[in-house]
Amino acid sequence: MEKLKERWDIKQNWQLLFPFLGIVVLGYSSYKLSFLFLKETNSTFNILLSGVFFFLLLKSTLFIINKLEKKWQVNYKWEMISIFLVFAVTGSSSLFVSRPIIKWIGITKENLNPLLYWVLYIIIGFVFYQILLVLIGWLFGQFQFFWNFEKKMLCRLGFKRFID
């Protein structure tokens, strides 16, 4: 446990929550990925495939964390896990929020060209993603990081005059 705390710059026990949540989300993701390839439930091969996916996702996530840690300039390594969790939760949440909004507006695949439907769906999802990114970032204690991230993204999209 001390090696884990030392590796992730964990100074207080509550910060252990982020590596724990990261492992749980990674395990769930690998389990769901194995079901994309195998439709069987509770098979031994499915569990083995989940283990392989878990290992591959863990290695790739650690590689990405090491690369982005220098670019994002965070104070502690455990903050990288919290940032990754915010991105994951926000991506899923934006879909859950935008889907009922589109239905409420009255946009369906049946009454609109499918191409136009998906373009509108992506635009509405993107708008809610931006809002949720800052809100969920605040809940995870990373408001300043995501506020700066959001300002940089809006500048790149041409909204610089609204930010200053």
Side-chain angles (χ1 to χ4, degrees), residues 27-153:
Y28 179 74
S29 299
S30 62
Y31 186 69
K32 292 299 271 186
L33 272 173
S34 70
F35 276 101
L36 286 176
F37 292 101
L38 304 172
K39 301 297 180 189
E40 302 173 26
T41 57
N42 298 328
S43 73
T44 306
F45 192 65
N46 203 333
I47 294 170
L48 289 172
L49 189 59
S50 295
V52 169
F53 280 135
F54 182 83
F55 178 77
L56 294 173
L57 287 173
L58 180 64
K59 285 296 188 181
S60 61
T61 302
L62 291 175
F63 176 77
I64 292 168
I65 284 175
N66 285 333
K67 293 294 181 187
L68 290 177
E69 183 181 19
K70 296 173 186 93
K71 182 179 179 182
W72 285 348
Q73 299 174 350
V74 294
N75 296 327
Y76 304 104
K77 283 187 176 184
W78 62 266
E79 288 180 310
M80 292 297 294
I81 299 171
S82 106
I83 290 168
F84 274 51
L85 288 171
V86 169
F87 280 122
V89 170
T90 303
S92 302
S93 300
S94 67
L95 290 176
F96 289 124
V97 170
S98 60
R99 194 172 292 151
I101 300 273
I102 286 181
K103 287 182 182 175
W104 179 70
I105 294 172
I107 299 173
T108 63
K109 292 177 193 174
E110 289 78 31
N111 66 2
L112 200 61
N113 181 344
L115 180 63
L116 187 58
Y117 169 82
W118 285 110
V119 168
L120 287 173
Y121 187 79
I122 290 170
I123 290 171
I124 291 171
F126 181 73
V127 168
F128 281 103
Y129 180 82
Q130 304 308 313
I131 296 166
L132 289 171
L133 190 63
V134 175
L135 290 175
I136 295 172
W138 174 74
L139 288 174
F140 276 76
Q142 297 296 326
F143 175 78
Q144 195 59 47
F145 174 84
F146 285 102
W147 182 244
N148 292 336
F149 187 86
E150 198 61 41
K151 288 192 292 188
K152 188 185 298 183
M153 185 182 301

Side-chain angles (χ1 to χ4, degrees), residues 14-27:
W14 68 267
Q15 295 166 343
L16 286 168
L17 176 68
F18 294 108
F20 174 75
L21 282 175
I23 294 294
V24 168
V25 169
L26 209 59

